[in-house]
Amino acid sequence: MADSLGNGEIASRLQSAYPAFVSGVEGNEVVFKDGSRLPLSDGRDKPFDAWLADPDIRDMFRFKYPRGAPALPPARDFDPGRARNAQFFSKIYGDCRKPGFGSSLTTITWLPSKAAQHIQISRLNGVAEHLSAVSRELDALPAKFDVFLVPAAGGYVCRPIAGTAQRSGHGYGIAIDVATRRSHYWRWASGGPGGGHYRNDIPMEIVDIFEKHGFIWGGRWYHYDTMHFEYRPELLPPQK
Ligand SMILES: [Zn+2]
C-alpha cells in the first residue's frame, strides 16, 4: 500500500502545490524560498499510529490519493492526506496558537445563492481563491444537492483532531466541512472503523468539484469523515 515517491517527484509536487514557499528538495531537506529548511524524512519506518501522530514530510505521500475513484470502503488504515507534518504546515500557513495568526485568514461568501454563509479560510497559498472557485461551481448545482452542502459546518477553527494531539486541517484554515445532515464520520459510527461500516451519501459530483480545485476528501479515508474537504494540492498533481 505504500507509495514510494522519489525525491524528484516530491520536490515537483511541493513546488507546484506551494509555489510561493517551496524552492525544492536538496538531499534529505525541503528548501524554502526564505532559505530555511525542514527534513524530508526522519529516517523512521513508522507503523500506522506513529505515521498519524508524528509524520515527516515524506510520510504525507505514503498513500496515493485516489482522485476521481468511486466512493468505496477504503482498505484498512488507508488514509491518504490524513497525516500532516506540523512544521511544514505551520511554515506555510502559520500556527493558530500564536498571536497574529488572524492576519492569515480571510472571509469568503460560501455558496452565494444557496447559502451566502461566511466562512473563514486561509488567504495564503491561494486557498481562498480555490475555495471560491469551488463555491461558484457548487452554487450552480441543482437544488437536489443542497441538503449535502447547506449549512456548511465551518472552515477555520483552531483545534486538534478529536482524540489526538495533531492539528486538524481546520487549524491551518485549509479545510471546510459541508453540511452535517447527510455526513458520516467514523467516530460517530458504532464500533468505529471495522465495527461501524463505511457509509457515504455525499454525491460524487460534489467530490469531483473539490478535487478539481486541489481539495482532498475525507470520504476516501478508512477513518472516514465524509463532510471534510481540505486543500492539499500536493496530493492532486496536475493530470497528464
Ligand atoms: Zn473537517
Side-chain angles (χ1 to χ4, degrees), residues 88-154:
F88 180 85
F89 281 95
S90 295
K91 173 86 191 158
I92 305 289
Y93 296 110
D95 181 340
C96 65
R97 294 165 306 181
K98 295 195 171 155
F101 178 82
S103 67
S104 76
L105 299 172
T106 188
T107 300
I108 68 161
T109 302
W110 178 246
L111 307 182
S113 71
K114 289 185 187 295
Q117 197 175 345
H118 289 152
I119 295 287
Q120 255 194 323
I121 197 86
S122 182
R123 62 174 181 77
L124 302 174
N125 198 39
V127 178
E129 289 81 358
H130 288 283
L131 189 62
S132 295
V134 169
S135 174
R136 284 191 293 275
E137 289 196 37
L138 294 177
D139 209 33
L141 289 176
K144 68 177 182 182
F145 291 96
D146 294 5
V147 68
F148 305 102
L149 296 169
V150 178

Side-chain angles (χ1 to χ4, degrees), residues 154-155 159 168-170 175-178 221 225 227-230:
R159 62 163 161 77
S168 148
H170 293 280
I176 184 168
D177 292 331
V178 296
W221 298 340
D225 181 357
M227 68 181 163
H228 183 87
F229 293 90
E230 176 171 331

Side-chain angles (χ1 to χ4, degrees), residues 14 24 47 55 60 67 102 119 162 170 183 192 213 231:
L14 292 176
M60 301 198 300
R67 174 214 302 251
I119 295 287
H170 293 280
S183 294
H213 294 286
Y231 189 64

